[in-house]
Amino acid sequence: MTPVNMAVELQLSWEDLTTGTLQQRTVSVPVAFGRDEQAMRSAMNDQDGTLVVLAHKQVSRCHALIVQQDEGLELVDKSTNGTFLNGQHFLGTNRQIQDGDRFQIGPYKIALNTLGTLPPSVSIPITPDSTAVLPGIYHDSLTGLPNRNMFMSLLQTLWERLAVETSLMFAVVHIDIDRLQQVNDSLGYRVGDKLLAAIARRLRQRLSPGDTAVRLEGDEFALLLENITHQEGAIGLIEALQRDLAAAFTLENQEAFITVSVGITFSHLPVNQPEDWLRFARTATNRAKQLGRGRLEIFRPGMEDSGNRLRLETDLSRAIERGELSLRYQPIVSLTSGQIVGFEALVRWQHPEAGWIPSDQLIAIAEETGLIIPIGLWVLQTACQQLCRWQKQFPDLQPLTVSVNVSSKQFIQTDLVAQITQVLQETDLPGNHLKLELTESLLMESESAAIAMLSQLQELGVQILMDDFGTGYSNLARMRNLPTDVVKVDKSLIQSLDAQNLAFVRGIVALAHSLSKTVVVEGIETQEQLAQLREMDCAYGQGYLFSPPVDIAQVENLLSQSPHW
């Protein structure tokens, strides 16, 4: 930035939105716009000029400068959320300006005219408007909310205030939309975008004027709650928000339902930098998701341990040889006879120090590190061996089956069919007693490759289950083309068997029957659900009404009792 020896005179004009009157100020170049005089002076390199203080929170500490450069004037963007010049958004760069141009900083739409020269003037405060911030000043055009950069700027300001106002209290909240991808897959990305915009509106409606909602990225939002006097008030607000967001969204004549996982942290926790508050809140959100989603978790010291993740990754690589992994088996019941006909094998990890690791965390680490490949093979071998033992132990029962989940990383292995063939040969298990569960989205995304591989598996007698049906693509026409044997209806569809969900499940069952496919419904918890599914002629079900996932001894106890439901 070239130093300026002569002061260029500008006349700035804008509308005071609170009164509707036209305001005018005459200033000298260079001129800085922002909330913080010290930050603006620093950006001007202590040159003589004008500081225009814009008090609104949507204005960065130093938002923009007007400087003389090469005998012309330039508007220099210094903000964290960008500046607008003649309606054009730009971020982190310069634009030539001239007489009559209009630019926008925060909620302030400012017109400028050049008048000549003027001696350096003093700082000019501009009162912030009390209306909603104008559209077009945000980086996130989809939701109309401020962006991550603005959020970090606000945290920076609060961090600096805390050094002086030690009693200052606020809360930082991280919100993650559960299963947004399933909405995109089933209803389309246009509806998914409308859902995000509708979520933003509900957030704004619930918040107080002094609070801030932002969209961080994708399906992540954040809140800054400054109008709180105690933690219970913030927690109550978040719980109300969760109820708001759980209500149905009507989008293009279709209803969508979501839950949100939320993490919250408070200003009393010491931080080394403002970003730590958001990191703490996100850590609490991750904990909420691990515990089953749709929850609120409060960050506490010790919840985040960056080294813990690395240690778990290292420990997981040795977990098989150390005997720390085990399988739990959830019964699959014939809804016709009421008898157990098979089991789904589910992997569990008991860490010698951390105890039982949540299943979601175990699978996530295994997927990210590639350990899902050897773990998946171990699960397949162990489940098939155990099934053979039970078949010999309980010869009077009809031949039992076992279902094993296959991840996307396993599915793309070129030797997957060879591995399964070898396991069946080594355990002497007939192929038709093994079922492989693959998610609906995996099968749809890799349709051509899936058809070839699934056909080879079916030649071995192995049955293929389309897992989580009803939460992904739900492309019923394409389902006809895939060589699958079983459709597994996701538990979310029967947790509330209202008229709409009932009709949807009935439609899935009818279509599956017409395509000669079997239906398994998971998540059955009540006798009412069981009766409704039997009325639809669903073939099989699993859920806590029958049994949670249990260990080998508990399975054998169940089988010896020959229960009927």
Side-chain angles (χ1 to χ4, degrees):
M1 196 183 302
T2 304
V4 181
N5 296 322
M6 61 177 295
V8 177
E9 181 183 87
L10 297 177
Q11 186 181 73
L12 305 179
S13 306
W14 68 92
E15 182 182 3
D16 184 336
L17 299 180
T18 59
T19 63
T21 59
L22 181 67
Q23 302 292 314
Q24 288 188 337
R25 297 288 187 275
T26 302
V27 301
S28 59
V29 174
V31 55
F33 305 85
R35 289 199 325 269
D36 188 307
E37 292 191 21
Q38 183 176 355
M40 289 189 285
R41 284 199 175 90
S42 176
M44 289 173 58
N45 296 324
D46 295 322
Q47 298 179 58
D48 290 335
T50 307
L51 306 181
V52 179
V53 180
L54 305 170
H56 197 281
K57 65 161 57 178
Q58 299 297 345
V59 176
S60 299
R61 296 173 64 240
C62 178
H63 200 109
L65 305 174
I66 296 178
V67 299
Q68 186 175 7
Q69 188 83 354
D70 298 329
E71 299 182 353
L73 294 179
E74 288 187 0
L75 182 62
V76 182
D77 178 58
K78 290 284 186 180
S79 72
T80 55
N81 70 327
T83 302
F84 282 78
L85 178 62
N86 298 326
Q88 181 187 12
H89 179 265
F90 68 101
L91 185 67
T93 186
N94 302 4
R95 291 289 190 276
Q96 288 283 339
I97 57 175
Q98 56 189 359
D99 186 61
D101 279 345
R102 296 176 180 273
F103 57 97
Q104 188 168 341
I105 293 174
Y108 307 97
K109 291 185 174 181
I110 304 171
L112 68 86
N113 297 93
T114 55
L115 300 177
T117 61
L118 184 77
S121 60
V122 298
S123 172
I124 302 173
I126 299 179
T127 304
D129 65 278
S130 60
T131 65
V133 181
L134 298 176
I137 66 169
Y138 309 106
H139 191 62
D140 181 41
S141 59
L142 176 63
T143 63
L145 293 179
N147 65 359
R148 176 190 175 90
N149 288 333
M150 172 55 69
F151 194 66
M152 300 315 300
S153 176
L154 296 176
L155 290 182
Q156 174 74 30
T157 300
L158 289 171
W159 188 51
E160 294 169 358
R161 286 178 58 191
L162 263 178
V164 179
E165 305 173 48
T166 56
S167 62
L168 183 65
M169 186 173 186
F170 56 87
V172 176
V173 182
H174 179 264
I175 300 174
D176 190 279
I177 310 303
D178 298 327
R179 305 174 76 94
L180 176 65
Q181 187 59 45
Q182 279 71 21
V183 174
N184 288 332
D185 291 341
S186 57
L187 301 181
Y189 280 90
R190 183 176 64 182
V191 175
D193 287 347
K194 289 186 176 182
L195 175 61
L196 288 170
I199 290 169
R201 287 193 294 272
R202 290 191 186 180
L203 292 177
R204 284 195 296 261
Q205 289 168 0
R206 174 63 65 172
L207 295 184
S208 300
D211 297 331
T212 305
V214 305
R215 184 187 179 203
L216 296 174
E217 58 185 357
D219 58 358
E220 294 183 64
F221 293 79
L223 308 176
L224 180 57
L225 306 180
E226 298 185 61
N227 291 332
I228 60 172
T229 56
H230 49 79
Q231 294 186 10
E232 290 76 11
I235 294 169
L237 173 61
I238 298 305
E239 290 174 341
L241 266 175
Q242 286 183 298
R243 292 191 295 271
D244 291 345
L245 297 176
F249 291 85
T250 302
L251 308 163
E252 297 190 357
N253 298 319
Q254 300 181 83
E255 282 193 337
F257 294 87
I258 63 165
T259 59
V260 293
S261 297
V262 183
I264 184 171
T265 190
F266 293 94
S267 52
H268 70 274
L269 288 177
V271 296
N272 295 320
Q273 52 191 358
E275 292 85 352
D276 289 344
W277 282 311
L278 181 57
R279 183 163 51 85
F280 291 166
R282 180 179 275 114
T283 297
T285 300
N286 291 337
R287 180 62 175 163
K289 294 176 79 70
Q290 292 167 7
L291 293 174
R293 302 184 181 184
R295 297 171 55 98
L296 165 64
E297 287 293 317
I298 303 171
F299 179 82
R300 60 182 183 277
M303 183 179 286
E304 183 191 61
D305 181 357
S306 59
N308 184 54
R309 175 75 178 212
L310 296 176
R311 286 196 297 273
L312 286 178
E313 291 177 2
T314 302
D315 292 346
L316 183 57
S317 65
R318 305 187 183 99
I320 296 178
E321 61 188 67
R322 292 176 176 175
E324 297 170 5
L325 296 183
S326 61
L327 293 185
R328 294 293 182 269
Y329 299 88
Q330 186 168 34
I332 298 173
V333 174
S334 167
L335 301 191
T336 302
S337 68
Q339 293 179 295
I340 296 174
V341 295
F343 298 90
E344 180 181 0
L346 301 163
V347 64
R348 298 291 187 263
W349 180 20
Q350 186 170 30
H351 191 277
E353 297 175 1
W356 290 105
I357 304 300
S359 298
D360 288 352
Q361 187 176 7
L362 163 59
I363 298 302
I365 295 174
E367 288 274 7
E368 291 171 12
T369 59
L371 291 170
I372 195 68
I373 303 299
I375 290 175
L377 180 57
W378 176 84
V379 170
L380 179 66
Q381 292 170 330
T382 305
C384 289
Q385 289 168 356
Q386 185 58 58
L387 183 64
C388 288
R389 296 189 189 102
W390 284 333
Q391 289 182 344
K392 294 175 182 177
Q393 186 177 352
F394 300 95
D396 295 335
L397 297 178
Q398 68 180 68
L400 298 169
T401 63
V402 67
S403 299
V404 176
N405 291 278
V406 177
S407 75
S408 59
K409 291 187 184 296
Q410 289 175 274
F411 191 67
I412 63 174
Q413 295 298 301
T414 56
D415 61 345
L416 177 63
V417 176
Q419 287 181 6
I420 293 172
T421 302
Q422 183 176 352
V423 169
L424 293 175
Q425 291 173 347
E426 291 175 350
T427 60
D428 198 27
L429 181 71
N432 61 350
H433 294 179
L434 173 64
K435 299 181 180 182
L436 300 180
E437 299 196 10
L438 299 98
T439 63
E440 178 190 353
S441 57
L442 168 61
L443 291 172
M444 294 297 189
E445 289 170 0
S446 312
E447 184 177 353
S448 58
I451 290 175
M453 184 174 291
L454 297 182
S455 297
Q456 295 178 58
L457 291 170
Q458 285 185 327
E459 290 177 5
L460 298 174
V462 175
Q463 294 189 57
I464 307 301
L465 283 77
M466 183 184 287
D467 195 12
D468 294 340
F469 192 82
T471 63
Y473 289 83
S474 297
N475 190 322
L476 304 181
R478 291 173 67 191
M479 182 180 77
R480 178 184 57 189
N481 302 323
L482 289 168
T484 57
D485 304 285
V486 182
V487 174
K488 195 168 188 181
V489 179
D490 187 72
K491 62 183 179 182
S492 63
L493 294 177
I494 70 161
Q495 286 176 343
S496 174
L497 269 180
D498 55 21
Q500 184 177 23
N501 278 358
L502 201 62
F504 189 36
V505 174
R506 186 175 285 111
I508 293 173
V509 174
L511 178 65
H513 287 168
S514 70
L515 298 175
S516 300
K517 299 181 189 292
T518 305
V519 176
V520 179
V521 179
E522 60 181 356
I524 301 174
E525 297 181 356
T526 68
Q527 289 290 346
E528 180 185 7
Q529 292 170 344
L530 177 59
Q532 290 172 316
L533 295 170
R534 277 179 166 152
E535 184 270 332
M536 297 180 205
D537 291 330
C538 289
Y540 302 103
Q542 66 185 97
Y544 276 57
L545 176 64
F546 310 121
S547 171
V550 292
D551 60 23
I552 293 172
Q554 291 169 303
V555 168
E556 293 172 353
N557 183 52
L558 265 176
L559 293 176
S560 64
Q561 296 175 11
S562 298
H564 286 69
W565 286 275

